[in-house]
Amino acid sequence: MKIPIAIKGRGSGSNPANRFHSQHSDTFDDGWGLEDQEVSDKPVTELYRDNSRSIINYNQSPDIPFDRSINPYRGCEHGCIYCYARPTHAYLDCSPGLDFETKIFYKENAAELLAKELAAKKYRCAPVALGINTDAYQPVERKLRITRDLLQVLSDCSHPVSIVTKSAMIERDFDLLVPMAEKNLLHVMVSVTTLDATLARTLEPRAATPRRRIKLIENLQHAGIPVGVLMAPVIPVLNDHEIETILKAVRQAGAQTAGYVMIRLPHEVKDLFSRLLKKSRKLTGFSRIHFSIHESG
């Protein structure tokens, strides 16, 4: 049996059992070198309807700077191996591994639900964060356009919104975003993990390249849209030495603010990330580092 380290264009090369499954299996090298073989099949993205009855998620966490968010999708094609949202796929009886990147659940009636919730008498307006758990501008958005429909509702209602993305697809919606920015209803944060294209390709295979994200920051700034940068996640040894370089680059591109988030490895992410580090020879400084990973969060 072939056990791939990773599949081209995907962050994970396997589908380990999620934490709710009663049976789990471990892979090991029995001397035949199967773990280092590549697979020829390329898994395709499968789309599933998510029949949610509401669209705005509320939280009372004191360490999160917003109390409500909207996620048009569950799962994310960007395939970032470090993504803290991977374990949420376990609630759908899917694996946080390859399933998270290839089985995308979309909220087809998201715009209708949002319009209904905003019109409710008990609703009180406050900025909503769009695409927090998974990227609202991941590749399937090009076809489904759910994020755009949500922005249309927010625009029609003059409702404030913040967006975090690592996708240049957001430029498609400048016709909606620029007028919202002129009304002080919008703020965009571009996620920049590294300026090293090889490292980015390994950690976040289907996201925009570092160079394209810098260009995106320039385009947002030139369009008059308030833009900041979120360096996330900061990973000791792999990208922490880039902090000052990244800050300089994004400031020159027009970013007005910057923040960071340290890497978190909740539940199944710990093993997925650890396996990538131990097997990949492309990661900067791999041969000089002894990794000790402990589950967090």
Side-chain angles (χ1 to χ4, degrees), residues 137-198:
Y137 282 103
Q138 60 177 288
V140 295
E141 167 62 18
R142 192 175 304 279
K143 172 185 177 181
L144 298 180
R145 299 172 69 87
I146 296 174
T147 296
R148 181 176 175 85
D149 290 343
L150 288 167
L151 285 172
Q152 184 66 68
V153 173
L154 293 169
S155 176
D156 292 344
C157 296
S158 294
H159 194 290
V161 60
S162 63
I163 301 172
V164 178
T165 185
K166 46 172 62 91
S167 173
M169 197 192 309
I170 191 174
E171 295 174 357
R172 177 200 65 185
D173 296 334
F174 273 12
D175 60 316
L176 293 175
L177 298 177
V178 171
M180 294 183 74
E182 292 174 348
K183 298 177 182 178
N184 197 30
L185 295 173
L186 173 70
H187 187 268
V188 175
M189 295 290 284
V190 178
S191 176
V192 179
T193 311
T194 177
L195 298 181
D196 183 329
T198 300

Side-chain angles (χ1 to χ4, degrees), residues 18-20 74-76 85-105 134:
N18 69 56
R19 60 192 180 280
F20 301 124
R74 303 175 75 175
C76 187
R86 282 181 176 272
T88 62
H89 243 44
Y91 298 121
L92 303 172
D93 197 30
C94 295
S95 170
L98 197 56
D99 281 352
F100 179 78
E101 309 166 39
T102 59
K103 294 184 177 181
I104 309 300
F105 293 75
T134 56

Side-chain angles (χ1 to χ4, degrees), residues 10 53 62 91 120 128:
R10 300 294 183 180
R53 296 182 179 180
Y91 298 121
V128 61

Side-chain angles (χ1 to χ4, degrees), residues 13-153:
S14 61
N15 260 331
N18 69 56
R19 60 192 180 280
F20 301 124
H21 287 167
S22 60
Q23 294 184 347
H24 293 251
S25 61
D26 294 320
T27 60
F28 67 95
D29 186 357
D30 60 1
W32 291 96
L34 294 179
E35 284 199 57
D36 295 325
Q37 293 186 21
E38 295 183 356
V39 294
S40 57
D41 56 318
K42 298 180 179 180
V44 298
T45 300
E46 301 174 16
L47 300 179
Y48 300 88
R49 288 186 178 87
D50 183 316
N51 297 316
S52 298
R53 296 182 179 180
S54 62
I55 193 63
I56 302 178
N57 306 304
Y58 292 91
N59 77 83
Q60 297 179 340
S61 177
D63 59 345
I64 297 179
F66 52 85
D67 70 348
R68 65 200 67 187
S69 61
I70 296 174
N71 293 294
Y73 303 102
R74 303 175 75 175
C76 187
E77 277 192 289
H78 282 161
C80 303
I81 192 64
Y82 53 72
C83 183
Y84 62 82
R86 282 181 176 272
T88 62
H89 243 44
Y91 298 121
L92 303 172
D93 197 30
C94 295
S95 170
L98 197 56
D99 281 352
F100 179 78
E101 309 166 39
T102 59
K103 294 184 177 181
I104 309 300
F105 293 75
Y106 64 98
K107 301 175 182 180
E108 187 176 36
N109 61 339
E112 297 175 10
L113 290 173
L114 178 59
K116 180 179 179 181
E117 291 180 37
L118 296 184
K121 291 183 178 180
K122 65 178 182 179
Y123 183 77
R124 295 296 179 266
C125 183
V128 61
L130 180 59
I132 295 301
N133 210 38
T134 56
D135 204 313
Y137 282 103
Q138 60 177 288
V140 295
E141 167 62 18
R142 192 175 304 279
K143 172 185 177 181
L144 298 180
R145 299 172 69 87
I146 296 174
T147 296
R148 181 176 175 85
D149 290 343
L150 288 167
L151 285 172
Q152 184 66 68
V153 173

